[in-house]
Amino acid sequence: MQSDDKKTVTRSRFLSLRLRHSPEKIGVQLDENGWVDVDVLLARLAENDRPTSLAQLIQIVDTNDKKRFAFSPDGLKIRASQGHSVAVELNLNALIPPSVLFYGTASRFVNRIFMDGLKKMNRQHVHLSATSEIAVNVGSRHGKPVVLKVDCLAMVEDGYEFYQSANGVWLTESVPVAYLSRTG
């Protein structure tokens, strides 16, 4: 039998998959901004053998270390904070980023990145981290981690835009090779 912590992690991963990539697989339709009614989500989770109480959903949102989910101000809707492969408009405003941000990847991807730059692939944006430590954690999920430094100051000067999601992840459309370097 799974512990409560493991159940929360399992539920969080399932929720992330559905709210970011395939809501239709549980019969949920996101609105144009990625929101779904909490009551609808809970009903669909139960119908798909993933019964989740409102208290458990609140725990998932409140305890997720990456703050992947957010409730609407009235608490009636929920959405993933970023990372969608389905089309949603998060209504983020362009912001001036720190002069340097970081990208964590696995060592096996580095040569390709230095040929093509960072691309959003099947997501809506490239995700960048505020610290090299966060980037190491991201990169280690895919193999031996490598951290790349992004010259955001130069990118902004050249007209690139940056956004910051509700959970603090920095987002941009792409990062050409000219703005990348390896750390340490």
Side-chain angles (χ1 to χ4, degrees), residues 1-18 45 49-52 56 60 63-64 68-69:
M1 190 150 182
Q2 280 188 323
S3 70
D4 285 343
D5 286 346
K6 286 189 178 186
K7 285 180 185 176
T8 299
V9 169
T10 299
R11 284 187 175 113
S12 178
R13 287 182 179 160
F14 183 80
L15 193 60
S16 183
L17 180 64
R18 296 300 170 239
L45 288 170
D49 297 322
R50 300 283 184 154
T52 303
Q56 290 167 325
I60 290 167
T63 62
N64 185 273
R68 284 197 167 119
F69 314 104

Side-chain angles (χ1 to χ4, degrees), residues 13 52 57 62-63 67 80 97 107 110 117-118 125 141 177 182:
R13 287 182 179 160
T52 303
L57 186 63
D62 288 347
T63 62
K67 301 295 179 201
S107 60
V110 172
L118 297 175
H125 297 97
R141 291 186 300 195
V177 175
R182 284 183 84 140

Side-chain angles (χ1 to χ4, degrees), residues 3 15 48 50 52 69 80 84 98 112 118 131 133-134 180:
S3 70
L15 193 60
N48 286 272
R50 300 283 184 154
T52 303
F69 314 104
H84 298 83
R112 177 52 100 187
L118 297 175
T131 68
E133 292 81 14
I134 294 170
L180 292 171

